């Protein structure tokens, strides 16, 4: 099959831009260099042993040894450069402070090329030759590894080389204590996806949160010279079976956080739990907030299931089974996770297994060098004001929408949705919600309690069947 003969169908397409970006996010650090040198050394020893027993070309061994020595020199030189860079940027007294700064890929590659050309063995090794040599290494993998360090090194060096001159790549040096890493950040997924969408016969991109469609068309570089239909459809779920309430007295805005704000958030959750007959999911904007809001509090009458960073798909499936088993026993569960985590996206909570969902906060990406670079790039490419909208605001709101959607999987389902962030009442954030999504307000936890009780008095039983 040729690409020209294919039609691409992408479900959950709201994740596609970030998936493409992450595919080119790679690290270069001391460990990957050290392990690659070790693998090269082991590879050379194997070649030398075989060479003594057979007719292996000695030049192969010589080239591999030359690469090993060049990488040793590059590792030492890179460490010196990072140390000098760190000392230049660090303020006096901030010994343990983290440093994050954008660096030039060309400069890093120039140091490597100089060390390659400086080999005294007589072997001529260039950049492409090094990449080829790294890809030829054959050694046993450690049990906890799925890829050789030399393979990872070849990939990150190739990325640096390919996008060294591109404004769509941001290369960042992060240094904290003895840990230093150089990370590649792709700013524009269109440099990979645009050619694909230009070549294929056609495509369908869909998601419950592909909002607004034009933002994704811009981000993915959907060709403007081809016919394109960009459409949003109203939700088939009746508002009276899925009321959405926003608490006006709680927020996750950094400047407004504190013990009193945390107490208000918990009061709202307690009010909802008190009047909800079945399982409730709580999604927070970060694991730190999850710990602060849920783990450090008491939830009488509730069995807790709390997501951790290392949850696998198998663990998620096990949690779903625990929810079903608990319902049969008459046990109420408080399921807690984070936006963008295993529990809040891509999980089908069938059989109306969730009676309510609480969304705490809005997961706006924190300020950082790559995040600032992303907003600046989008602003320059797509227009004024879109850096914040495309790069931070809309993706964060869409993550909340994904969490909200976990409870309602078919038209007959019913669930109460509670948003604990008053920023959804402002025009800036409301504009990111689907126009057909109507909300009402709770001024305090007492109103939350009344409205939740009224809802479940009217619809006490979950939907039946699949």
């Amino acid at each position: 099959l040729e690409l020209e003969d294919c039609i691409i169908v992408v479900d959950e397409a709201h994740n596609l831009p970030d998936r493409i970006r992450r595919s080119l996010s790679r690290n270069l650090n001391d460990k990957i260099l050290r392990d690659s040198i070790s693998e090269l050394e082991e590879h050379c020893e194997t070649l030398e042993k075989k060479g003594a027993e057979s007719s292996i070309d000695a030049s192969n061994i010589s080239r591999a040894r030359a690469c090993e020595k060049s990488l040793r020199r590059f590792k030492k030189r890179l460490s010196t450069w990072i140390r000098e860079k760190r000392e230049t940027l660090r303020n006096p007294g901030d010994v343990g402070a983290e440093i994050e700064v954008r660096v030039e890929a060309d400069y890093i590659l120039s140091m490597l090329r100089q060390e390659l050309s400086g080999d005294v063995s007589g072997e001529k090794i260039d950049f492409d030759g090094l990449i080829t040599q790294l890809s030829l290494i054959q050694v046993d993998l450690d049990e906890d590894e799925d890829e050789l360090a030399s393979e990872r090194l070849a990939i990150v060096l190739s990325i640096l080389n390919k996008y060294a001159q591109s404004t769509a790549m941001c290369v960042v040096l992060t240094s904290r204590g003895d840990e230093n890493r150089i990370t590649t950040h792709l700013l524009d997924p269109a440099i990979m996806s645009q050619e694909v969408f230009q070549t294929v016969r056609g495509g369908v991109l869909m998601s419950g949160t592909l909002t607004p469609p034009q933002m994704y068309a811009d981000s993915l570089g959907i060709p403007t010279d081809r016919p394109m239909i960009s459409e949003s459809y109203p939700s088939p779920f009746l508002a009276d079976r899925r009321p959405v309430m926003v608490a006006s007295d709680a927020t996750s805005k950094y400047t407004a956080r504190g013990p009193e704000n945390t107490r208000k958030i918990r009061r709202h959750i307690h009010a909802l739990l008190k009047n909800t007959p079945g399982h409730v999911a709580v999604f927070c904007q970060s694991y730190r907030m999850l710990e602060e809001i849920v783990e450090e509090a008491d939830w009488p009458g509730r069995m807790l299931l709390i997501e951790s960073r290392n949850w696998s798909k198998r663990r998620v499936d096990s949690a779903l089974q625990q929810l079903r088993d608990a319902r049969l026993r008459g046990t109420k569960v408080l399921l807690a996770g984070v936006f963008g985590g295993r529990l809040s996206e891509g999980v089908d909570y069938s059989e109306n297994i969730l009676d309510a969902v609480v969304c705490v906060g809005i997961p706006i990406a924190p300020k950082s060098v790559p995040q600032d670079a992303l907003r600046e790039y989008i602003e320059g490419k797509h227009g004024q004001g879109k850096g914040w909208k495309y790069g931070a605001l809309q993706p964060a709101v869409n993550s909340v929408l994904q969490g909200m959607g976990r409870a309602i999987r078919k038209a007959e389902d019913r669930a109460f949705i509670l948003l604990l962030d008053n920023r959804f009442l402002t025009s800036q954030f409301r504009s990111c919600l689907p126009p057909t999504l109507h909300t009402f307000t709770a001024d305090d936890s007492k109103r939350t309690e009344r409205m939740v009780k009224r809802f479940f008095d009217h619809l006490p039983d979950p939907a039946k069947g699949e």
Side-chain angles (χ1 to χ4, degrees):
L1 285 176
E2 298 297 330
L3 201 55
E4 292 86 345
D5 300 320
C6 294
I7 295 174
I8 290 183
V9 180
V10 186
D11 193 13
E12 304 290 4
H14 67 279
N15 284 324
L16 187 55
D18 275 345
R19 282 182 179 267
I20 294 173
R21 289 189 184 104
R22 286 197 299 271
S23 72
L24 289 188
S25 179
R26 292 278 179 153
N27 290 322
L28 174 64
N29 55 30
D30 188 75
K31 184 180 185 303
I32 194 174
L33 285 168
R34 184 183 67 241
D35 291 349
S36 296
I37 291 168
S38 177
E39 290 170 3
L40 256 173
E41 191 174 27
E42 183 180 346
H43 179 69
C44 290
E45 291 170 356
T46 301
L47 288 179
E48 288 166 349
K49 184 178 179 180
K50 289 182 178 179
E53 302 170 353
S54 61
S55 57
I56 286 183
D57 189 348
S59 63
N60 292 338
I61 302 173
S62 179
R63 282 194 296 272
R65 283 294 185 190
C67 287
E68 177 203 336
K69 293 174 183 177
S70 297
L71 281 182
R72 287 185 186 277
R73 293 193 300 270
F74 173 64
K75 177 178 176 293
K76 183 177 180 180
R77 184 168 179 177
L78 184 65
S79 296
T80 301
W81 175 73
I82 290 175
R83 185 173 62 253
E84 292 172 350
K85 194 85 171 173
R86 189 173 56 197
E87 293 304 319
T88 302
L89 296 169
R90 177 167 289 151
N91 295 323
D94 292 341
V95 178
E98 181 176 281
I99 290 172
E100 188 181 54
V101 62
R102 190 168 184 174
V103 295
E104 295 296 328
D106 266 342
Y107 188 80
I108 296 167
L109 293 172
S110 69
M111 288 191 288
L112 175 58
R113 289 192 172 95
Q114 288 172 22
E115 298 305 337
L116 289 171
S117 63
D119 188 72
V120 294
S121 66
E123 284 292 339
K124 291 184 178 181
I125 305 294
D126 59 11
F127 184 86
D128 291 336
L130 172 65
I131 300 300
T132 299
Q133 185 61 61
L134 289 171
S135 66
L136 293 174
I137 293 176
Q138 294 182 351
V139 297
D140 293 334
L141 276 168
D142 292 336
E143 290 184 2
D144 58 342
E145 297 286 345
D146 57 4
E147 190 178 37
L148 289 174
S150 45
E151 292 178 277
R152 296 197 300 272
L153 179 59
I155 291 171
V156 69
L157 291 178
S158 297
I159 291 172
L160 286 169
N161 186 53
K162 183 174 182 179
Y163 299 102
Q165 302 297 325
S166 175
T167 58
M169 178 66 71
C170 173
V171 183
V172 176
L173 166 63
T174 306
S175 175
R176 186 180 181 87
D178 294 330
E179 295 184 18
N180 307 296
R181 69 178 182 274
I182 293 167
T183 308
T184 58
H185 297 273
L186 179 67
L187 306 178
D188 189 356
I191 66 173
M192 296 183 70
S193 57
Q194 184 169 4
E195 183 178 352
V196 174
F197 288 117
Q198 183 68 60
T199 306
V200 295
R201 178 67 58 88
V204 179
L205 282 72
M206 56 188 176
S207 169
T209 55
L210 203 67
T211 304
Q214 188 59 47
M215 180 183 83
Y216 289 93
D218 290 344
S219 298
L220 293 167
I222 305 298
T224 57
D225 60 343
R226 297 187 63 176
M228 180 182 73
I229 299 172
S230 176
E231 202 65 65
S232 293
Y233 301 96
S235 170
F237 306 128
L238 299 177
D240 63 344
R241 299 188 70 87
R242 187 206 56 182
V244 180
M245 187 166 69
V246 181
S248 63
D249 63 338
T251 185
S252 68
K253 189 176 181 180
Y254 186 78
T255 55
R257 293 181 196 174
E260 181 57 29
N261 184 65
T262 299
R263 280 192 290 270
K264 288 178 180 179
I265 289 174
R266 287 179 181 160
R267 287 190 199 116
H268 280 284
I269 299 175
H270 276 294
L272 180 138
L273 293 176
K274 179 180 177 182
N275 294 279
T276 301
H279 304 328
V280 174
V282 175
F283 299 123
C284 298
Q285 69 180 47
S286 67
Y287 284 103
R288 183 176 179 180
M289 181 171 285
L290 181 65
E291 180 180 353
E292 177 187 343
I293 299 297
V294 179
E295 293 188 53
E296 295 180 1
D298 294 324
W299 307 99
R302 290 280 166 172
M303 170 185 164
L304 287 182
L305 277 178
I306 302 177
E307 175 188 5
S308 65
R309 288 179 173 84
N310 60 357
W311 270 30
S312 62
K313 183 182 183 301
R314 178 178 295 181
R315 181 64 187 91
V316 172
D317 291 341
S318 173
L320 292 176
Q321 188 59 49
Q322 285 179 275
L323 291 177
R324 289 189 284 267
D325 293 343
R327 173 184 277 181
L328 293 176
R329 296 193 310 268
T331 301
K332 298 179 182 180
V333 175
L334 177 59
L335 181 73
V338 296
F339 297 119
R342 287 282 189 173
L343 294 175
S344 65
E345 291 198 26
V347 179
D348 187 9
Y349 294 89
S350 59
E351 302 173 34
N352 206 176
I353 199 68
L354 295 177
D355 283 5
V357 169
V358 181
C359 296
V360 184
I362 305 171
I364 295 174
K367 184 178 177 60
S368 65
V369 170
Q371 189 63 28
D372 288 347
L374 175 63
R375 295 179 193 176
E376 182 181 341
Y377 180 87
I378 294 172
E379 196 89 0
K381 181 176 181 180
H382 298 299
Q384 188 174 2
K386 290 185 177 177
W388 168 246
K389 171 88 170 179
Y390 286 14
L393 184 58
Q394 190 67 59
V397 172
N398 286 354
S399 289
V400 176
L401 291 171
Q402 279 287 319
M404 292 167 57
R406 294 311 93 197
I408 300 289
R409 311 308 297 167
K410 59 183 185 300
E412 296 79 15
D413 289 350
R414 60 94 176 95
F416 194 95
I417 311 296
L418 176 59
L419 305 183
L420 294 178
D421 200 307
N422 55 21
R423 286 179 290 177
F424 279 114
L425 300 174
T426 67
S427 59
Q428 184 184 41
F429 285 83
R430 284 195 64 83
S431 67
C432 294
L433 296 172
T436 55
L437 179 66
H438 302 292
T439 64
F440 59 103
T441 307
D443 299 328
D444 54 32
S445 58
K446 291 181 179 179
R447 176 166 169 78
T448 296
E449 184 173 341
R450 291 195 304 272
M451 297 306 294
V452 173
K453 184 177 186 305
R454 181 186 300 176
F455 175 74
F456 287 111
D457 283 347
H458 178 58
L459 296 168
D461 300 316
K464 304 294 183 183
E466 293 295 328

